[in-house]
């Protein structure tokens, strides 16, 4: 209702204005509410341009089976609506191998993939990487992947510029993962390895030698590192923004690159 007591005709807005309004809503709100308001809104919500970027977080973390299944179904729906135009997807907790492969099969032009805390993704990333040649940013924070998967991602995604592996769930206890990154991701500009309990100076040296374009490096809470002497000098000379092991970790970790 407007200030003069009249009801606003939301259905009569120009399509481009409706698109601008609806594009500010979350994915769940669009699929479960907005598209059901009227025919004109439903029509706009089906436009592929509405689904170029997909952001769907479950802040509660825990999901029962029905809730998880509903989220997976909504995600598949949104991916299909993009008609191959999806360039950025950000989902937490509920991604599976099957869903990830559906995303990769349907979204060859994907630039950004964030699947943080998705513990049901295993071989799916290995399979999906080969279908995403234009991927530029990958966030696999709080996930567990073998070093062979990282190598495959690096080789299949030559445009990868950003890798975030915040608090990885590691299944190995040495520098294998760091060496895998160094040997397969030479174009990295941004690398976030916060909370890694095993990486030593050997792994860090491999990354610095293999990723010559690196500008941002987050090593907070990587307590095995000892940044002294030549290694400290190399970091100072090569890295424009460096977060050291003892630097504070307050604030949301995904804001680090902004």
């Amino acid at each position: 209702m407007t200030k003069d007591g009249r009801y606003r005709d939301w259905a009569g807005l120009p399509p481009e204005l409706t698109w601008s309004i609806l594009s500010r809503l979350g994915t769940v709100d669009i699929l479960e509410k907005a598209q059901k308001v009227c025919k004109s809104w439903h029509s706009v919500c089906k436009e592929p341009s509405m689904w170029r970027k997909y952001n769907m977080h479950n802040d509660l973390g825990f999901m029962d089976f029905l809730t998880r299944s509903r989220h997976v179904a909504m995600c598949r729906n949104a991916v299909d609506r993009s008609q191959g135009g999806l360039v950025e997807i950000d989902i937490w907790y509920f991604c599976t191998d099957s869903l990830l492969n559906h995303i990769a099969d349907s979204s060859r032009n994907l630039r950004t993939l964030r699947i943080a805390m998705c513990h049901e993704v295993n071989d799916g990333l290995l399979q999906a990487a080969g279908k995403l040649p234009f991927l530029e940013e990958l966030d696999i924070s709080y996930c567990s992947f073998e070093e062979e998967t990282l190598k495959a991602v690096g080789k299949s995604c030559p445009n990868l510029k950003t890798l975030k592996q915040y608090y990885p769930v590691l299944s190995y206890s040495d520098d294998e993962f760091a060496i895998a990154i160094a040997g397969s991701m030479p174009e990295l500009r941004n690398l976030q390895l916060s909370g890694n309990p095993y990486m030593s100076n050997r792994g860090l040296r491999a990354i610095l030698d293999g990723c010559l374009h690196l500008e941002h490096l987050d090593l907070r809470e990587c307590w095995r590192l000892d940044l002294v002497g030549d290694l400290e000098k190399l970091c100072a000379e090569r890295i424009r923004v460096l977060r050291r092991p003892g630097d504070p970790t307050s604030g949301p970790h995904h804001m680090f690159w902004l």
Side-chain angles (χ1 to χ4, degrees):
M1 181 179 292
T2 61
K3 291 182 179 180
D4 59 4
R6 293 180 299 171
Y7 285 96
R8 188 180 299 276
D9 181 16
W10 293 103
L13 294 174
E16 60 274 14
L17 183 55
T18 301
W19 186 96
S20 178
I21 293 171
L22 296 181
S23 65
R24 290 167 168 77
L25 299 179
T27 300
V28 175
D29 287 334
I30 292 175
L31 292 176
E32 294 193 335
K33 299 176 183 178
Q35 70 170 358
K36 301 176 182 179
V37 169
C38 60
K39 288 184 178 181
S40 63
W41 281 32
H42 181 76
S43 178
V44 171
C45 288
K46 292 186 69 175
E47 286 292 326
S49 59
M50 283 287 296
W51 304 101
R52 295 185 72 251
K53 297 183 179 182
Y54 179 101
N55 188 324
M56 193 170 177
H57 284 182
N58 169 37
D59 295 330
L60 298 178
F62 172 77
M63 287 181 171
D64 58 34
F65 177 78
L66 291 178
T67 302
R68 182 181 297 274
S69 298
R70 184 168 60 87
H71 277 64
V72 169
M74 281 193 289
C75 185
R76 283 178 173 269
N77 188 356
V79 170
D80 292 341
R81 290 188 181 199
S82 75
Q83 297 184 16
L86 186 68
V87 296
E88 179 178 326
I89 189 164
D90 187 351
I91 49 180
W92 286 48
Y93 298 105
F94 65 88
C95 191
T96 64
D97 284 340
S98 176
L99 176 58
L100 181 56
N101 271 283
H102 180 72
I103 293 168
D105 287 337
S106 307
S107 313
R108 179 178 172 81
N109 293 314
L110 194 69
R111 265 44 175 197
T112 298
L113 173 64
R114 303 187 186 101
I115 50 172
M117 288 192 178
C118 294
H119 303 303
E120 292 188 35
V121 174
N122 297 295
D123 294 337
L125 181 59
L126 188 64
Q127 298 165 8
K131 308 168 189 175
L132 300 173
F134 302 112
L135 195 67
E136 297 177 357
E137 178 178 340
L138 175 64
D139 187 345
I140 50 175
S141 298
Y142 301 98
C143 296
S144 176
F145 294 106
E146 299 290 341
E147 67 276 8
E148 293 302 322
T149 299
L150 294 179
K151 290 179 183 178
V153 170
K155 292 178 180 178
S156 300
C157 307
N159 297 309
L160 196 67
K161 301 294 192 299
T162 296
L163 176 66
K164 299 182 182 182
Q165 200 178 17
Y166 189 86
Y167 275 94
V169 184
L170 298 177
S171 58
Y172 38 88
S173 58
D174 53 28
D175 292 306
E176 292 175 355
F177 84 99
I179 295 171
I181 292 171
S184 64
M185 303 179 185
E187 296 300 319
L188 283 182
R189 268 64 171 177
N190 309 310
L191 180 58
Q192 186 173 25
L193 298 172
S194 312
N196 191 302
Y198 298 126
M199 183 171 66
S200 70
N201 285 7
R202 172 173 169 263
L204 177 57
R205 172 72 72 166
I207 287 173
L208 293 173
D209 290 342
C211 304
L212 298 179
H213 303 292
L214 206 58
E215 298 177 357
H216 298 74
L217 181 58
D218 187 352
L219 302 171
R220 289 175 292 177
E221 296 188 352
C222 295
W223 299 119
R224 281 193 66 193
L225 294 177
D226 187 17
L227 298 185
V228 296
D230 292 341
L231 189 59
E232 181 181 32
K233 181 180 179 182
L234 184 60
C235 286
E237 292 174 346
R238 289 270 315 281
I239 307 301
R240 185 162 62 88
V241 178
L242 176 66
R243 295 291 184 265
R244 300 171 180 272
D247 284 354
T249 57
S250 59
H253 74 274
H254 60 275
M255 298 296 288
F256 171 73
W257 307 116
L258 300 184

